Amino acid sequence: MLKKITSLCTTLCLSIALILPVSAPVSASGTLSPDTIVTKENVNQVVEYLGLDPRDLKKANASDESVTVTVGELQQVINQLKQAPKEVTSTENLNVIAPLASSDFCTGLKMLYYTTNLGGSFELSYEVAANYSWNKFTSVNNATVSVIDNDDNLLTTFTISSREVGAKVISSGAKVELTAKVKVDSWLSVGNVGIIKVMTTSVNTSKEWNTTQAGIPMCV
């Protein structure tokens, strides 16, 4: 009798298990929508939903609670940033020379300026300090680079993560040549919680100035 009761209970339990529906696991991003506001509580979930790594999130020490952003707004900015190529080359675009002051000196220092024309959310601005004497360049003191934010979107920021910038006198003093390899990180502001890196762009730049472009005084 005991065996029959045990067998009956086993059969009933199996029948109930087969009849009752099995709940599917809920996706971590299943509760999010484009209208979801990013908060400190859901930020890791949002970052994963956007295809980024929460470990890369740099949280702000202090935050403005009045600043709000939605998942949809962040997704739109990410899509825009990722349209840019990961590597670009800039060569011989129009350069801007500092206004020339009237001078009778045939020896001096000339600042050379060059801004890339990448057509994206940022540009790179270069400065080269070159010495000249009697219609020729003689040496280069320094070459620097900075990033210009062309984007009026308050959710994006651009920083230089690495740079190799150099300049030298070539062609027996007739020219100054600039070469540079710069990596620029694109950052996304995640509401009032912090910022996270979206991508890195490598920019290779080469530029030459001759004495005429640089505005070297003609001395005879």
Side-chain angles (χ1 to χ4, degrees):
M1 178 64 69
L2 181 60
K3 289 183 178 180
K4 289 183 178 180
I5 294 174
T6 302
S7 177
L8 179 60
C9 289
T10 302
T11 303
L12 288 173
C13 289
L14 289 173
S15 299
I16 293 172
L18 291 172
I19 294 172
L20 292 176
V22 178
S23 299
V26 179
S27 170
S29 61
T31 58
L32 298 179
S33 74
D35 296 325
T36 300
I37 295 177
V38 181
T39 65
K40 293 180 180 179
E41 289 71 27
N42 69 4
V43 63
N44 288 341
Q45 183 182 353
V46 169
V47 169
E48 288 183 347
Y49 177 80
L50 295 173
L52 303 175
D53 191 340
R55 293 174 296 182
D56 294 334
L57 179 66
K58 293 186 177 182
K59 294 187 177 181
N61 295 327
S63 59
D64 183 357
E65 298 297 334
S66 65
V67 178
T68 60
V69 64
T70 65
V71 172
E73 290 172 329
L74 294 180
Q75 185 67 71
Q76 185 176 6
V77 175
I78 290 175
N79 291 342
Q80 179 182 351
L81 289 174
K82 289 190 173 182
Q83 287 178 0
K86 291 187 176 181
E87 184 170 0
V88 292
T89 299
S90 176
T91 58
E92 291 295 333
N93 289 318
L94 293 176
N95 57 291
V96 178
I97 301 298
L100 298 178
S102 58
S103 174
D104 296 328
F105 293 104
C106 293
T107 300
L109 176 71
K110 180 63 63 175
M111 294 302 299
L112 309 176
Y113 301 94
Y114 174 60
T115 300
T116 58
N117 186 23
L118 305 176
S121 298
F122 69 87
E123 301 292 349
L124 294 179
S125 177
Y126 295 93
E127 292 186 8
V128 178
N131 296 303
Y132 67 90
S133 179
W134 291 89
N135 307 330
K136 289 186 177 182
F137 293 110
T138 56
S139 63
V140 173
N141 290 342
N142 194 26
T144 62
V145 61
S146 59
V147 63
I148 301 173
D149 190 343
N150 279 346
D151 196 340
D152 58 0
N153 194 322
L154 298 179
L155 297 179
T156 57
T157 306
F158 304 94
T159 60
I160 294 177
S161 57
S162 69
R163 69 193 77 195
E164 296 178 19
V165 184
K168 61 183 179 180
V169 176
I170 61 173
S171 302
S172 301
K175 296 179 181 179
V176 167
E177 179 187 53
L178 165 75
T179 57
K181 294 181 179 180
V182 181
K183 290 187 177 181
V184 179
D185 291 337
S186 300
W187 296 85
L188 176 68
S189 176
V190 187
N192 57 12
V193 181
I195 60 174
I196 190 168
K197 185 170 68 175
V198 176
M199 64 180 295
T200 299
T201 304
S202 298
V203 182
N204 303 314
T205 304
S206 62
K207 171 65 183 173
E208 293 181 358
W209 294 268
N210 58 34
T211 54
T212 301
Q213 289 175 312
I216 301 299
M218 294 298 295
C219 297
V220 293

